[in-house]
Amino acid sequence: MYRSHTCGQLRIGNAGEKVTLAGWVQRIRKMGGMSFIDLRDRYGITQLVVDDSVSHELNETVEKLGREYVVQVTGVVAERSSKNSKIATGDVEIKLDTLKVLNASVTPPFTIEDESDGGEELRAKYRYLDLRRGPLKKAMELRHRMGQETRKYLDSIGFMEIETPFLIKSTPEGARDFVVPSRMNPGEFYALPQSPQTFKQLLMVSGYDRYFQIVRCFRDEDLRADRQPEFTQIDCEMAFVEREDVLVTFEGMIKSLFRNVLGKEIEGSFPRMSYSDAMKFYGSDKPDIRFGMKIGELKSDGRNGSDNIDLTSGKDFVVFDSAEYVGAICVKGAAFYTRKQVDELTEWVKRPQIGAKGLVYIRVAEDGVKSSVDKFYSARELEAMANRVEATAGDLVLILAGDKKKTQEALGTLRIEMGNRLGLRQSDNYAPLWVYDFPLLEWDQETGRFYAMHHPFTAPKPEDMDKFYSNDREQIAQVAANAYDFVLNGTEIGGGSIRIHDSNIQKRMFEVLGFSAEEAEYKFGFIINAFKYGAPPHGGIAFGFDRFCALFGGQETIRDYIAFPKNNAGRDVMLDAPGMIDDSQMEELFLKSTLKK
Amino acid sequence: MYRSHTCGQLRIGNAGEKVTLAGWVQRIRKMGGMSFIDLRDRYGITQLVVDDSVSHELNETVEKLGREYVVQVTGVVAERSSKNSKIATGDVEIKLDTLKVLNASVTPPFTIEDESDGGEELRAKYRYLDLRRGPLKKAMELRHRMGQETRKYLDSIGFMEIETPFLIKSTPEGARDFVVPSRMNPGEFYALPQSPQTFKQLLMVSGYDRYFQIVRCFRDEDLRADRQPEFTQIDCEMAFVEREDVLVTFEGMIKSLFRNVLGKEIEGSFPRMSYSDAMKFYGSDKPDIRFGMKIGELKSDGRNGSDNIDLTSGKDFVVFDSAEYVGAICVKGAAFYTRKQVDELTEWVKRPQIGAKGLVYIRVAEDGVKSSVDKFYSARELEAMANRVEATAGDLVLILAGDKKKTQEALGTLRIEMGNRLGLRQSDNYAPLWVYDFPLLEWDQETGRFYAMHHPFTAPKPEDMDKFYSNDREQIAQVAANAYDFVLNGTEIGGGSIRIHDSNIQKRMFEVLGFSAEEAEYKFGFIINAFKYGAPPHGGIAFGFDRFCALFGGQETIRDYIAFPKNNAGRDVMLDAPGMIDDSQMEELFLKSTLKK
């Protein structure tokens, strides 16, 4: 062993002990004939002191040191004269006897400090140096803790971790697979799993009624910001359960993570919200309920759970009159917003990402209301609108109009933005939420068929069975799935469903999706077959582990919570991967590139 | 929830309780106007009783039941009149009130019993049914326990589990990579990792001084029996350590697994053996030390740790005279072996897998020795040979001759065979062992270059540095690696080494391996570069998790310890993977098959 203690271990009680430490040189300072070295390892920083006049040899070695040199030192622990209360070892320093350079370092391309001077790209290339920095180390530690605590909890309630294969078969339904040519089976390909979905359902058929796995998944998608081609999932499935059992079980897991990882006690049950309420009140299927600012409908058609109301029509304001839907949010205490600020918000909602046509406001003051549509609506009419969102003096009401779903979503995005601006979205404040009763199917105009919103094994809600078997496309479109999402602070962290275990319902599902019997057999034959041999009722959930960790760390981006992430082009810039392979490798796989050289 | 209790839970103390169970119908028996149903789930089997005369409706449902139907029942727990002491629930039965079929089952293609009537191939195709059988369930449970306990132990001593990427870069050194074409980077490929070797070393450079991961690895090899293209590894690395630290740390882990998984206490330190002693005495680099039967040298050259001895030459027995090496094992108490049995053994050692030219025996009795080479050697000479292997009356000495290494290995294989025949290799008797000081390099005649026995980052033993820098190929060939294997019952379960952290030694290693600076840079550029920034001394080990589990389960084959294994052609016969992919998928990847259609 190269050390007797780590650099985070020594305290005042160790004073007088002779110790050996090893680590990296973080900083060197010279002061009044003394050299001070901050020695760093995973556990902390310990100050080393060399009296320059004592040993010529030691002094010479110190002279040669540079940042990030790896050294082994021996010395005696002493109380510091000027203590540093910011670090755990701040009361002591080591009076050095010997210092041995274990390895030199060239000068790092950026500073290894909590706030580095290195740009993102440079740090990605030297990821192994970036990982030395405090924030990344904390992220890795948090992730490790999350993994251990997840396993500990699930194990404690009888879940078994069962590893499923990575070299599987390509199923051309859903997202794009990464494929792996098989040399031993020329012309054939494996696929990397997008999730162990079918395997966990097979395990239910096999009788492993509480399964989980923390497992890598792969999706060859065009990468939106903050997506990774490989990502990790907490994948879970249970048999002989209904929705309530799944929700209660994983509420237990999530609470135990809050308790054991963050030291936070979440009291009571998590709130629950239907998909239609989420859209109606938050304009999102993943509402951030850390703050209110609920959407109020000023004009809506009463369908899919919305109110049948109209506070806006017939006053010659064409924008509202021609709109399918008008909705508002109340920004508490924001009546002080200047014209310029409102104009800027108007530009903001008109950006293509949001796509609103414009923004109407009502400013509520003690002495009445002011609005950009004063000339169409009387004060009373405007007050009625403001009342819908419970605005009181000092508040600013923001109104959008247009197609219902698009406008709800635009209001949802505006709500989040205003929440940010008002500081209502503190990262250390956690608001968990279950959202349920999602639509089962989505009609695609282009291909003229239904697609499963989740996947083709999601069960319809029992009470919607009549609609599910109906011949009317409108009716089928209204079938709700027995599905649920776990949402934390406006981010979807988990999603799952009760699965179809009845082969007749499964057959109907494939029919609704427009698969012929042959297609269904080709794509899902083994699982359809498995379900003939006594499939139990079952359901499950999967959590996005990378994002779960990031949120627990108070961050929105996942990249810092993955040791070696890829960039938006799917490249690992540190490895410079992917790369070319040898011609001989191509030949062995019976493959040829169609690219011009 | 579909049940109040599992099928393994109810005891005599529950008598009188009204319960709800769910599970699979294992067996149905009719007896004296009663129906008895064995209901099975993951947790056990509970007997259900229906009095056929009580409810017509219930009786009708029972009539329709078949094997593997999934049912939900309610009833009252009662004491059995004829108890079954073999199962935990054997004191009770459930007097049924209701029985609901949750799902029917077609007749399974084989019996779901501990001993099934299904052949291996059939069971592989219906793996999800095979997994219902007791032995596979036990294997999955053991594997789950092993994983949990490994993590718990390593976490408890400060190891961090850090996930490394699966989509990496192909390194054409070592075994063959599986590759993954990248759609977003046309013409380029990722590779699947053969192990996280370089990543764990980078993590040491990053300062994470105790890393582990239970991780899938991939190797596109022609599959020998009992190898899998994807396999799981307990992958570990430590910084600021020497060999002793690594061995002691993982001895702790292994002991804790023995204790917490098998309830076995392994006393004292694990025995250790050098590679040369292992070859000399056991003819194997992974000796099974559950039994003695050590090899004795009758003629050897004194090199690589062997004795300088000759008890056989000059007696006109050409086979021994012309042999480089003659060695023997003593089979205790096997003097009773008949001529026929010895002949059969002779044929056995002549099989190409072993490749011995013949077998010489000495039978030791109270009244002297008998041998197949009586006419060349005197009784005294034969006794001298027998004495080398400490044979006493009643023993059988078996002698092989030929090239040294080949003959040692043949003796090693013969030793294992005799151990099996004599029942000396009980699967519940565990003999752990460290083997160390392996050769660093292996000369390949064909390509005329050295190959790393382990991998190019393995450190030479410090005391062999002069040889390592020598220009003499013979000298270089004798350099020992600072490497070690963990061997359990004659199976290599783990292997590791102290790594090179000095960039000059690494440079020399690449030179010895015959890489140009450009080649080294192309293949290992990022890690060579990383090592310039303060790499700490480090070392590690990786355990084959599948085999570790199999051995803990008392089995030698790993397939039952993997939920969804592949066959020897690398196929998953359940999924029928690999398979063809769509032309559109090929086009997106800019690939064309060179196979004739």
Side-chain angles (χ1 to χ4, degrees):
Chain A
M1 199 66 94
Y2 282 77
R3 60 190 173 196
S4 63
H5 296 78
T6 70
C7 296
Q9 203 172 356
L10 295 169
R11 299 287 182 276
I12 194 81
N14 299 101
E17 283 177 36
K18 175 132 188 156
V19 298
T20 308
L21 300 184
W24 286 263
V25 173
Q26 173 94 2
R27 264 184 236 102
I28 311 170
R29 294 180 311 275
K30 297 254 169 201
M31 220 159 51
M34 309 282 273
S35 298
F36 296 91
I37 302 168
D38 281 352
L39 190 68
R40 186 197 71 232
D41 66 10
R42 183 184 132 197
Y43 310 91
I45 287 178
T46 298
Q47 178 166 293
L48 315 176
V49 204
V50 179
D51 184 335
D52 296 353
S53 64
V54 168
S55 155
H56 178 65
E57 198 193 329
L58 182 56
N59 202 21
E60 256 192 343
T61 319
V62 171
E63 288 298 327
K64 276 187 244 152
L65 290 182
R67 280 205 290 133
E68 302 303 320
Y69 271 49
V70 185
V71 300
Q72 182 185 37
V73 300
T74 61
V76 176
V77 183
E79 185 170 357
R80 274 206 218 181
S81 51
S82 77
K83 299 195 169 59
N84 178 351
S85 62
K86 283 188 200 149
I87 59 174
T89 60
D91 287 354
V92 297
E93 60 192 10
I94 315 295
K95 297 202 178 298
L96 286 203
D97 295 323
T98 67
L99 187 154
K100 187 178 165 192
V101 173
L102 297 174
N103 221 338
S105 172
V106 298
T107 306
F110 50 84
T111 54
I112 314 288
E113 305 277 352
D114 285 4
E115 295 288 331
S116 173
D117 60 357
E120 200 170 322
E121 228 170 297
L122 191 67
R123 286 187 288 114
K125 188 174 170 196
Y126 294 91
R127 183 71 174 181
Y128 45 84
L129 297 181
D130 205 22
L131 282 166
R132 287 185 186 167
R133 296 193 308 115
L136 272 89
K137 203 192 66 186
K138 278 211 189 85
M140 292 302 119
E141 283 169 346
L142 176 78
R143 188 179 176 116
H144 166 67
R145 203 69 265 137
M146 289 282 283
Q148 299 303 310
E149 294 297 336
T150 299
R151 288 191 161 95
K152 210 182 284 177
Y153 184 81
L154 291 176
D155 180 40
S156 77
I157 57 169
F159 277 77
M160 280 170 67
E161 186 160 28
I162 300 177
E163 293 178 55
T164 55
F166 280 74
L167 297 172
I168 65 166
K169 194 175 175 174
S170 189
T171 50
E173 182 72 11
R176 212 183 269 106
D177 284 326
F178 280 107
V179 296
V180 183
S182 165
R183 183 182 53 85
M184 290 178 75
N185 300 276
E188 298 190 287
F189 290 75
Y190 301 101
L192 299 177
Q194 296 182 28
S195 89
Q197 183 64 35
T198 49
F199 293 99
K200 66 179 177 177
Q201 293 195 245
L202 288 178
L203 287 170
M204 294 306 110
V205 174
S206 298
Y208 297 84
D209 58 5
R210 294 187 157 209
Y211 145 92
F212 84 101
Q213 198 181 181
I214 302 185
V215 62
R216 201 71 51 84
C217 302
F218 305 86
R219 212 164 283 182
D220 185 13
E221 281 174 358
D222 297 313
L223 300 172
R224 281 183 275 158
D226 214 30
R227 288 268 188 134
Q228 292 278 319
E230 49 175 315
F231 54 96
T232 302
Q233 206 164 275
I234 309 174
D235 192 52
C236 310
E237 195 80 4
M238 305 171 79
F240 302 115
V241 291
E242 284 150 342
R243 184 183 78 191
E244 188 62 23
D245 306 310
V246 178
L247 300 193
V248 166
T249 302
F250 291 97
E251 211 162 292
M253 181 189 92
I254 296 160
K255 283 184 176 185
S256 99
L257 289 176
F258 272 111
R259 185 179 310 122
N260 296 319
V261 177
L262 294 184
K264 277 186 191 285
E265 207 60 51
I266 307 279
E267 305 292 345
S269 292
F270 295 174
R272 299 184 187 184
M273 197 184 291
S274 69
Y275 169 80
S276 60
D277 273 359
M279 291 307 295
K280 178 181 177 182
F281 294 118
Y282 298 93
S284 167
D285 58 0
K286 37 182 189 285
D288 185 347
I289 57 166
R290 280 176 294 185
F291 63 107
M293 211 189 283
K294 281 193 198 175
I295 297 169
E297 296 177 324
L298 307 185
K299 175 182 179 183
S300 191
D301 57 9
R303 295 182 58 197
N304 295 327
S306 73
D307 295 330
N308 195 344
I309 193 171
D310 191 351
L311 301 178
T312 63
S313 294
K315 302 292 164 179
D316 294 336
F317 184 44
V318 184
V319 175
F320 284 3
D321 282 359
S322 65
E324 182 190 7
Y325 169 96
V326 182
I329 57 172
C330 167
V331 188
K332 281 279 154 205
F336 66 85
Y337 259 51
T338 61
R339 180 65 204 230
K340 203 177 146 199
Q341 281 174 299
V342 173
D343 284 350
E344 181 261 322
L345 265 187
T346 307
E347 287 314 305
W348 191 86
V349 297
K350 283 162 95 175
R351 293 180 315 147
Q353 298 95 310
I354 304 181
K357 295 265 158 58
L359 177 70
V360 168
Y361 70 86
I362 305 173
R363 207 178 262 128
V364 185
E366 292 290 352
D367 58 350
V369 294
K370 276 215 163 178
S371 170
S372 47
V373 290
D374 276 348
K375 56 179 161 182
F376 300 105
Y377 298 99
S378 68
R380 228 172 118 178
E381 283 157 355
L382 291 170
E383 274 164 18
M385 296 184 204
N387 282 339
R388 279 291 284 179
V389 289
E390 294 170 15
T392 53
D395 295 350
L396 179 69
V397 178
L398 300 174
I399 304 173
L400 297 179
D403 290 344
K404 184 170 168 184
K405 194 170 177 220
K406 237 183 104 180
T407 307
Q408 284 177 327
E409 287 172 350
L411 278 164
T413 310
L414 178 61
R415 175 180 170 272
I416 292 294
E417 174 66 14
M418 298 316 293
N420 283 335
R421 294 191 186 193
L422 268 58
L424 302 173
R425 306 186 71 221
Q426 297 299 321
S427 66
D428 58 349
N429 175 21
Y430 291 95
L433 172 72
W434 292 112
V435 179
Y436 60 89
D437 283 1
F438 288 86
L440 181 70
L441 299 154
E442 195 172 25
W443 181 262
D444 183 58
Q445 284 297 355
E446 208 174 308
T447 52
R449 53 164 277 204
F450 278 114
Y451 281 86
M453 286 281 279
H454 197 165
H455 52 63
F457 308 109
T458 305
K461 295 267 288 186
E463 53 267 44
D464 287 352
M465 238 12 125
D466 282 350
K467 289 182 194 161
F468 186 57
Y469 278 93
S470 138
N471 287 321
D472 176 14
R473 195 209 292 170
E474 266 306 304
Q475 289 276 308
I476 296 173
Q478 276 176 37
V479 175
N482 203 346
Y484 32 80
D485 276 359
F486 172 66
V487 174
L488 185 58
N489 293 1
T491 300
E492 183 210 320
I493 294 289
S497 63
I498 297 300
R499 326 298 184 185
I500 300 170
H501 70 278
D502 178 314
S503 56
N504 287 319
I505 300 179
Q506 188 66 63
K507 206 178 284 174
R508 171 62 183 165
M509 179 59 123
F510 287 135
E511 195 178 276
V512 168
L513 294 175
F515 294 0
S516 68
E518 294 73 45
E519 261 181 296
E521 171 63 29
Y522 176 75
K523 288 179 179 173
F524 302 109
F526 65 96
I527 194 160
I528 296 174
N529 206 32
F531 273 46
K532 292 178 191 156
Y533 293 94
H538 62 288
I541 191 165
F543 297 90
F545 188 58
D546 306 304
R547 202 164 298 278
F548 211 163
C549 293
L551 272 189
F552 261 53
Q555 303 292 323
E556 294 212 338
T557 68
I558 61 177
R559 214 164 282 177
D560 283 355
Y561 290 80
I562 299 171
F564 300 100
K566 295 190 172 51
N567 71 10
N568 280 346
R571 293 198 72 84
D572 183 322
V573 295
M574 178 191 75
L575 296 180
D576 194 20
M580 306 301 286
I581 59 173
D582 289 354
D583 289 345
S584 64
Q585 280 174 286
M586 291 290 275
E587 276 161 32
E588 279 189 326
L589 299 170
F590 299 98
L591 287 179
K592 220 168 87 178
S593 171
T594 61
L595 290 166
K596 300 235 163 64
K597 297 232 170 161
Chain B
M1 199 67 93
Y2 282 77
R3 59 191 174 196
S4 62
H5 295 78
T6 72
C7 295
Q9 204 173 353
L10 296 168
R11 299 288 182 276
I12 193 81
N14 299 100
E17 284 177 35
K18 174 129 190 157
V19 298
T20 307
L21 300 184
W24 285 263
V25 172
Q26 173 94 3
R27 261 184 240 102
I28 310 170
R29 293 181 312 276
K30 296 254 169 202
M31 220 158 54
M34 308 283 274
S35 298
F36 296 91
I37 302 167
D38 281 352
L39 190 68
R40 186 196 71 231
D41 67 10
R42 184 184 133 198
Y43 309 91
I45 287 178
T46 298
Q47 178 167 293
L48 316 176
V49 203
V50 179
D51 185 334
D52 297 352
S53 63
V54 168
S55 156
H56 178 66
E57 197 193 329
L58 182 56
N59 201 24
E60 257 193 341
T61 318
V62 171
E63 287 299 327
K64 277 186 241 152
L65 289 182
R67 280 206 291 132
E68 302 304 319
Y69 271 50
V70 185
V71 301
Q72 183 185 36
V73 300
T74 60
V76 175
V77 183
E79 186 170 357
R80 274 207 219 181
S81 51
S82 77
K83 299 195 169 62
N84 179 352
S85 63
K86 283 188 199 149
I87 59 173
T89 58
D91 288 353
V92 297
E93 59 192 10
I94 315 295
K95 296 203 177 301
L96 287 203
D97 294 323
T98 67
L99 188 154
K100 187 181 166 189
V101 174
L102 297 174
N103 220 340
S105 171
V106 298
T107 306
F110 50 84
T111 54
I112 314 287
E113 306 276 353
D114 284 5
E115 295 288 331
S116 173
D117 60 358
E120 201 170 321
E121 228 170 297
L122 191 68
R123 285 187 290 113
K125 190 175 167 197
Y126 295 90
R127 184 70 173 181
Y128 44 85
L129 297 181
D130 206 21
L131 282 167
R132 287 185 186 168
R133 295 194 309 115
L136 272 89
K137 202 191 67 186
K138 279 213 189 80
M140 292 303 118
E141 282 169 347
L142 176 78
R143 186 178 179 120
H144 166 68
R145 201 71 265 135
M146 290 281 283
Q148 300 302 310
E149 293 297 336
T150 300
R151 289 191 161 97
K152 211 184 284 179
Y153 184 81
L154 292 176
D155 179 42
S156 78
I157 57 171
F159 278 76
M160 279 169 70
E161 185 160 26
I162 300 177
E163 294 178 54
T164 54
F166 281 75
L167 297 173
I168 65 167
K169 195 176 176 173
S170 190
T171 51
E173 181 72 8
R176 212 182 272 108
D177 284 326
F178 281 106
V179 295
V180 182
S182 166
R183 183 183 53 86
M184 290 178 75
N185 301 275
E188 298 191 286
F189 290 75
Y190 300 101
L192 299 178
Q194 296 183 29
S195 87
Q197 183 63 34
T198 48
F199 292 99
K200 67 179 177 179
Q201 294 194 244
L202 288 179
L203 286 171
M204 294 306 111
V205 173
S206 299
Y208 296 83
D209 58 6
R210 294 186 156 209
Y211 145 92
F212 84 101
Q213 198 181 182
I214 303 186
V215 63
R216 201 69 54 83
C217 302
F218 305 86
R219 214 165 281 181
D220 184 13
E221 281 174 357
D222 296 312
L223 300 172
R224 281 182 276 157
D226 215 29
R227 287 268 190 134
Q228 292 278 320
E230 49 174 317
F231 53 96
T232 302
Q233 207 163 274
I234 308 174
D235 192 53
C236 311
E237 195 80 4
M238 304 171 77
F240 301 116
V241 291
E242 283 149 343
R243 183 183 77 190
E244 188 62 21
D245 306 309
V246 179
L247 299 194
V248 167
T249 303
F250 291 97
E251 212 162 292
M253 181 189 91
I254 296 160
K255 283 184 175 184
S256 98
L257 289 176
F258 271 112
R259 185 178 310 121
N260 296 319
V261 179
L262 294 183
K264 278 186 191 283
E265 207 58 53
I266 307 279
E267 305 291 345
S269 292
F270 294 173
R272 298 184 188 185
M273 197 183 292
S274 69
Y275 168 80
S276 60
D277 273 0
M279 291 309 296
K280 178 181 179 184
F281 295 118
Y282 298 92
S284 167
D285 58 0
K286 38 182 188 288
D288 184 348
I289 58 167
R290 279 175 295 184
F291 64 106
M293 212 189 282
K294 281 192 198 178
I295 297 169
E297 297 178 324
L298 307 184
K299 174 180 178 183
S300 190
D301 57 8
R303 296 180 59 197
N304 294 328
S306 74
D307 296 331
N308 194 345
I309 191 170
D310 191 351
L311 301 179
T312 64
S313 294
K315 303 291 165 179
D316 294 335
F317 184 46
V318 185
V319 175
F320 285 1
D321 282 359
S322 65
E324 182 190 9
Y325 169 96
V326 182
I329 56 173
C330 167
V331 189
K332 280 280 156 205
F336 64 86
Y337 259 50
T338 62
R339 181 65 202 233
K340 202 177 144 202
Q341 281 177 299
V342 172
D343 284 351
E344 181 261 323
L345 265 187
T346 308
E347 289 314 305
W348 191 87
V349 298
K350 285 161 93 175
R351 292 179 316 148
Q353 298 95 311
I354 304 181
K357 294 265 158 56
L359 177 69
V360 169
Y361 71 85
I362 305 173
R363 206 179 264 128
V364 185
E366 292 291 354
D367 58 350
V369 295
K370 277 215 161 178
S371 169
S372 47
V373 291
D374 277 347
K375 55 180 162 182
F376 301 105
Y377 299 100
S378 68
R380 227 171 117 183
E381 284 158 353
L382 291 170
E383 275 163 17
M385 296 185 203
N387 283 339
R388 280 291 282 180
V389 290
E390 294 169 16
T392 54
D395 296 349
L396 179 69
V397 178
L398 299 175
I399 304 174
L400 297 179
D403 292 345
K404 183 171 170 184
K405 196 174 175 216
K406 236 183 104 179
T407 308
Q408 284 177 328
E409 287 172 349
L411 279 163
T413 310
L414 180 61
R415 175 182 170 271
I416 292 294
E417 174 67 14
M418 298 315 293
N420 283 336
R421 295 191 185 194
L422 268 60
L424 303 172
R425 307 184 71 220
Q426 298 298 322
S427 66
D428 58 349
N429 175 19
Y430 291 95
L433 172 73
W434 292 111
V435 180
Y436 60 88
D437 282 1
F438 289 85
L440 182 69
L441 300 155
E442 195 173 25
W443 180 262
D444 183 59
Q445 284 298 354
E446 208 174 308
T447 52
R449 56 163 275 207
F450 278 113
Y451 281 86
M453 286 280 279
H454 197 165
H455 53 64
F457 309 108
T458 306
K461 295 266 290 185
E463 53 268 43
D464 287 353
M465 239 11 127
D466 283 350
K467 290 183 193 160
F468 187 58
Y469 278 93
S470 140
N471 288 321
D472 177 14
R473 195 209 293 172
E474 267 305 303
Q475 290 276 308
I476 295 173
Q478 277 176 37
V479 175
N482 203 347
Y484 32 81
D485 276 359
F486 172 66
V487 175
L488 184 60
N489 293 2
T491 300
E492 183 211 318
I493 294 289
S497 64
I498 297 299
R499 327 296 182 185
I500 300 170
H501 70 277
D502 178 312
S503 55
N504 287 318
I505 300 179
Q506 189 66 60
K507 207 178 280 174
R508 171 62 183 164
M509 179 59 120
F510 287 134
E511 194 178 278
V512 168
L513 294 175
F515 294 178
S516 68
E518 294 74 42
E519 261 180 294
E521 171 64 28
Y522 175 73
K523 288 180 179 174
F524 302 108
F526 65 97
I527 194 161
I528 296 174
N529 205 33
F531 275 46
K532 292 177 190 155
Y533 294 93
H538 62 289
I541 192 165
F543 298 89
F545 189 58
D546 306 305
R547 202 163 297 280
F548 211 163
C549 293
L551 273 188
F552 260 53
Q555 303 292 323
E556 294 211 338
T557 67
I558 60 177
R559 214 163 283 176
D560 284 354
Y561 290 81
I562 298 170
F564 300 99
K566 295 192 171 51
N567 71 10
N568 280 347
R571 294 198 71 84
D572 183 322
V573 295
M574 178 190 74
L575 295 181
D576 194 22
M580 308 300 286
I581 59 173
D582 289 354
D583 289 346
S584 65
Q585 280 175 289
M586 291 290 276
E587 275 162 32
E588 279 190 327
L589 299 170
F590 299 97
L591 288 178
K592 218 168 87 175
S593 171
T594 62
L595 290 167
K596 300 235 165 62
K597 294 230 172 166

